[in-house]
Every structure is written in C-alpha cells, then in structure tokens.
Amino acid sequence: MVSSVNLKAAGQRRTNWAGNIVFEASEFYRPQTFSELRAAVARADRLRVLATGHSFNDMADSAGAQVSLDALPPEVEVDSAAGLVRVTAGLTYAQLAGRLNQKGFALRNMASLPHISVAGGSATATHGSGRANQNLAASIAAMELVTAEGDLVELDRADDAFAGAVVHLGALGVVARVVLDVVPSFDISQWVYEDLPLEVLDDHFEDIMSSAYSVSMFTDWRAPRLTQVWVKQLVEDPARPVPPESLAGAPWFTATPATGARHPVPGGSPETCTEQLGVPGPWHERLPHFRPGFTPSSGDELQSEFLLPVDSAVPAIGALRQISDRLAPVVQICEFRVVAADELWLSTAYRQDSVAFHFTWQPDLAAVLAVVELMEQRLAPLGARPHWGKVFTATPESLHARYERLPDFLDLARHYDPAGKFRNAYTARYLGR
Ligand SMILES: Cc1cc2nc3c(=O)[nH]c(=O)nc-3n(C[C@H](O)[C@H](O)[C@H](O)COP(=O)(O)OP(=O)(O)OC[C@H]3O[C@@H](n4cnc5c(N)ncnc54)[C@H](O)[C@@H]3O)c2cc1C
C-alpha cells in the first residue's frame, strides 16, 4: 500500500509556484505505480492532485490529502497511424514535447510555458494563442480517470459526458493518463515587433491576430501602445511567403522589428525566452515564450486572465484603456491572445472564438484584488470568463450565467464523486459545491 507523508507532523507546508497559496492539505501521497495511485485515492477522505502548482489560487488544495503524479512511470506511447499519443497525465509539456518531437510528432499548440503538466493545464483550459488554435484541453481524445473509490473509468470522445469531463477543475477524480491528438512535427520562426499604438488595433486587431500561426500582443498600460508583438509563423505555410514581407525587417502596422532578443516583462532576461529574430526551430522551442530550465515570466508575480468573445476585443481594449491609470501601477505586463472556440463545457472558449486578456501583476494581493474587481465590473457586460487557474472574484451566479453547461458539470461531479472527496474550498466558493 502506498504511504503518505504527514506534512503537519513534519512541520512542513507546501505552496503553489507563486507562493501566494500555502496549502492546507496535511497528507501527501507520491505513488510510484498506477495501482498505488488507485489505492491512495481509495484511502483518502478528501483528496486533490497537486501537479506543478502553477495555478494562482487554491484549486489544488484539499482539506485532507494531496497526491502528486510525478513519480509515476513517464509513459509516452505514440500511435502514428491514428495520430494519437497516450501519456502519463502528470508529465510536463516540456517532458512530453521533446520525446514527441524525436518521434516526428507535435502538439498543435502550447501555452507560454512548458513547465506545467498536461493534466493540470487541461484541467483549467490553459491556452496559447492563434486564430485557429483551440486551448490545450481540446486536443484530449481520451482519458483514464480514477474516481473516488479508486475505480478506473475510461472516457473518450464517443461518450456523451466527455466534453464535460475534459476541463474538470480537478473536481471529478484523478486523471491518470490522457490520449492526445498529435500532428507531424513542424517548424516555427518567431519575430518580435515593438511600439504599436493601441489605436491601430481599432481597425487591425483581427488582421494582426490572423497574420501568423500564433500572435501575442503585450502592453504595460503605461502608455497607449503595445510594447511588443510576438509573431510565431509556420516555416512552411503555403498561404504565406517565408519570411512574410511584412516580417522581413520593415515596419509593420507602424511597429518596428526588435533588433535583438526580447523578454515580454520589462527587465526580464531574454536568455530565458525562446529564440527570436526569425531563426527557424521546432514547434516546442518556439510556441512557448519561455524555455524550460529557467524561471518563466517574472517569477515574482500574481496572474489574472479574462476571456471574451473575440468580436468584443476592441471594445474591451477601450474599457481597459479607461482604467489604465489603475492598471499601470499594479501590472508588470498584460498580454492579449486569441483562442479558437471548442465544445468543452467549462472551457473559457466554450462555443466562442475568444480574445484573452492576461495580466502579470505585482505580487501584492490586496492591490491586485482591488483592480481585478474593477476590471471584472468593466468587462462583465462583454461576457468575460475568468481563467480558472488565476486570481478572480466571480460568484457562482455569475459563472452560471457564463457557462450554460455548468449545471450538467455539477451533475457529472455528483455522479463520479457523490461523497465529495474532490470538493474543496475553491469548488465551494466558485461552483457552490
Ligand atoms: C508563469 C506562468 C505562466 C502561465 N502561462 C499560461 C498561459 O500561457 N496560458 C494559460 O492559459 N495559463 C497559463 N498559466 C496558468 C497555468 O497554465 C494553469 O494554472 C495550469 O492549470 C497549471 O497547471 P499545473 O500543472 O501547474 O496544475 P496545478 O496548478 O497543480 O493544478 C491545477 C488544477 O488541476 C487539478 N489537477 C492537476 N492534475 C490533475 C490530475 N492529474 N487529475 C485531476 N486533477 C488534476 C488540480 O487539483 C488543480 O485543481 C501560467 C501560469 C504561470 C505560473
């Protein structure tokens, strides 16, 4: 039987990556086999998976135990004919991507960092950018779920409830393995442009976001301009010349090409970022902004993010400009991205092509919460959905208004977890369960 560590007795407390959450869970399991994992789940009264802990709230906490999947065998089994890979759910994207690329395959997209786990990222509808790119969970074709009694349930796209189970906030059970769609490996070149007036977006938001495979816009709200635009272009894109004329060193929508490598956060070292200046490279070394092996982003921060229908991008930027004097003192950097619609019930892009407004904040929770509340008020009329893994203050009522399938998801949670083993303070606060 798998043993647990009693953290309270050992005088230890775990925190999330950002350090703003000290977990309450007093027991910690680290199973080394899948059967030990099932035994640990069956044994615990209350349980949550702690993956890489890159969420900025208490969603990975539990009033009982936490379990890590990082000691399980790191399986990566590619089915080339089917275009699928079956992986241990706790693998990080960095661990998976290198192995996948060696076998000639790729994931369609990645988040800004490869440090997070496949299961943890999917649980919160983590996303990258790209007009045609869905969030990372949308590539899950099947999953193995260990439910409250330690039973193994296999779900795939043929199941009615599958679309409800993929973005699960950790509330259905422990995902042990996932099967992901893969595509043949591809190469990307990345350019950074600087100083684009925000007013250019009034007429060209869509043009710029559609100009490459993945585009990210950055501003610090200290002036009405984008500080940087990161453009990730497929090297072999029949629809576009390589390099596109607009990206070959000339001004682009009045922005100027960066003359050296950049970090999106002011003062950050470009050494920690993926290669730029148009040097082609494999998908997993260009799609994330940050390289594995280094601290991503600023490293001393909180984050929030809100997703809205992409048609509301320009009005939303206008609404944010109106409070830029409140944003600027608290924000380190803000990023605009786009995410294609999907059918996953709790996805932040559920049935709507979306624009995502991400905020890397100073690590001052009280100051951040005041600005987040103000921003939520301003963006609410545009239908903003908060990123599940970041700092937000929504009520269950407002979330029900944003997610028409939330009642069905709660039924699913009652089905797989009738006694509430995977409930925690986060689900009580935001889901009313
Ligand atoms: C520097 C930085 C950059 C970021 N960039 C992006 C970005 O580009 N795009 C974006 O969308 N988000 C981004 N995020 C947010 C991050 O991707 C999400 O919070 C993600 O969910 C974290 O994954 P994790 O593996 O750390 O999961 P954790 O934070 O450990 O867990 C998240 C949730 O999933 C549950 N869970 C984890 N694994 C399992 C499992 N196997 N079975 C059941 N439940 C499970 C946990 O219990 C918890 O409820 C960023 C975060 C940081 C710190």
Side-chain angles (χ1 to χ4, degrees):
M1 174 178 280
V2 63
S3 59
S4 69
V5 176
N6 188 313
L7 299 174
K8 213 178 253 170
Q12 296 170 0
R13 275 287 186 260
R14 283 172 196 271
T15 69
N16 64 342
W17 174 85
N20 64 310
I21 302 289
V22 179
F23 294 121
E24 290 295 319
S26 54
E27 301 278 325
F28 198 80
Y29 293 96
R30 200 159 172 262
Q32 305 205 352
T33 65
F34 288 93
S35 49
E36 280 182 8
L37 170 65
R38 292 175 62 180
V41 175
R43 187 171 127 188
D45 292 331
R46 290 293 187 111
L47 187 77
R48 272 273 161 169
V49 177
L50 175 60
T52 70
H54 280 62
S55 297
F56 290 85
N57 55 46
D58 57 352
M59 67 188 308
D61 205 358
S62 153
Q66 285 178 318
V67 59
S68 167
L69 308 194
D70 68 358
L72 291 177
E75 298 171 1
V76 176
E77 292 166 15
V78 175
D79 179 341
S80 311
L84 296 169
V85 63
R86 183 171 177 262
V87 304
T88 308
L91 282 187
T92 65
Y93 280 97
Q95 290 171 320
L96 169 60
R99 291 176 212 196
L100 206 50
N101 192 55
Q102 274 171 6
K103 295 173 194 272
F105 289 94
L107 302 172
R108 283 207 174 81
N109 206 9
M110 295 181 78
S112 70
L113 76 176
H115 308 58
I116 56 171
S117 74
V118 174
S122 310
T124 64
T126 288
H127 61 89
S129 191
R131 205 59 185 83
N133 292 325
Q134 296 175 313
N135 72 40
L136 306 185
S139 69
I140 295 185
M143 54 200 255
E144 292 177 19
L145 184 71
V146 180
T147 54
E149 301 305 318
D151 300 325
L152 196 63
V153 176
E154 297 190 21
L155 290 163
D156 64 29
R157 287 179 175 141
D159 294 304
D160 288 343
F162 185 71
V166 174
V167 177
H168 52 75
L169 317 179
L172 302 184
V174 176
V175 179
R177 294 187 183 90
V178 292
V179 178
L180 304 169
D181 296 326
V182 291
V183 294
S185 278
F186 54 92
D187 286 340
I188 294 275
S189 296
Q190 175 166 248
W191 287 263
V192 174
Y193 274 72
E194 295 180 301
D195 287 328
L196 187 84
L198 282 182
E199 65 193 22
V200 171
L201 303 183
D202 291 348
D203 294 324
H204 296 293
F205 180 85
E206 192 63 50
D207 300 334
I208 295 173
M209 281 302 192
S210 309
S211 65
Y213 188 76
S214 168
V215 176
S216 288
M217 302 173 174
F218 294 92
T219 179
D220 57 11
W221 295 110
R222 290 180 186 94
R225 47 101 180 85
L226 298 176
T227 50
Q228 298 176 1
V229 184
W230 287 46
V231 180
K232 299 169 195 268
Q233 183 80 23
L234 285 180
V235 169
E236 289 179 31
D237 184 347
R240 296 185 179 90
V242 177
E245 204 176 306
S246 57
L247 297 177
W252 181 58
F253 292 100
T254 77
T256 49
T259 51
R262 297 289 185 258
H263 191 293
V265 182
S269 166
E271 187 198 0
T272 66
C273 295
T274 49
E275 190 150 1
Q276 303 154 37
L277 297 165
V279 180
W283 57 281
H284 63 295
E285 295 180 3
R286 297 293 181 279
L287 290 174
H289 305 327
F290 305 110
R291 295 166 60 187
F294 292 90
T295 299
S297 192
S298 95
D300 191 14
E301 65 193 75
L302 296 171
Q303 293 187 8
S304 302
E305 188 162 26
F306 296 91
L307 288 92
L308 300 79
V310 73
D311 295 345
S312 299
V314 172
I317 293 166
L320 294 171
R321 280 184 75 172
Q322 285 177 1
I323 56 167
S324 58
D325 59 327
R326 297 287 306 279
L327 295 170
V330 197
V331 84
Q332 299 191 48
I333 201 67
C334 171
E335 180 178 11
F336 312 166
R337 289 176 281 185
V338 286
V339 189
D342 62 54
E343 289 293 322
L344 306 175
W345 301 354
L346 293 195
S347 166
T348 42
Y350 175 69
R351 294 204 169 161
Q352 59 193 28
D353 290 336
S354 299
V355 56
F357 294 99
H358 157 88
F359 298 81
T360 299
W361 304 114
Q362 300 292 350
D364 176 347
L365 185 61
V368 167
L369 282 175
V371 177
V372 165
E373 279 185 60
L374 174 66
M375 190 162 50
E376 287 176 338
Q377 285 164 16
R378 298 298 175 101
L379 296 182
L382 299 172
R385 293 171 173 162
H387 190 304
W388 294 109
K390 302 191 179 180
V391 175
F392 62 98
T393 70
T395 59
E397 294 70 32
S398 67
L399 291 170
H400 274 270
R402 299 279 175 267
Y403 290 96
E404 65 189 54
R405 301 301 301 267
L406 191 46
D408 299 322
F409 177 78
L410 292 173
D411 285 345
L412 208 55
R414 277 187 281 271
H415 172 71
Y416 285 123
D417 182 26
K421 184 173 282 193
F422 301 105
R423 282 188 226 157
N424 62 7
Y426 175 96
T427 58
R429 188 182 319 118
Y430 297 122
L431 306 183
R433 179 178 198 270

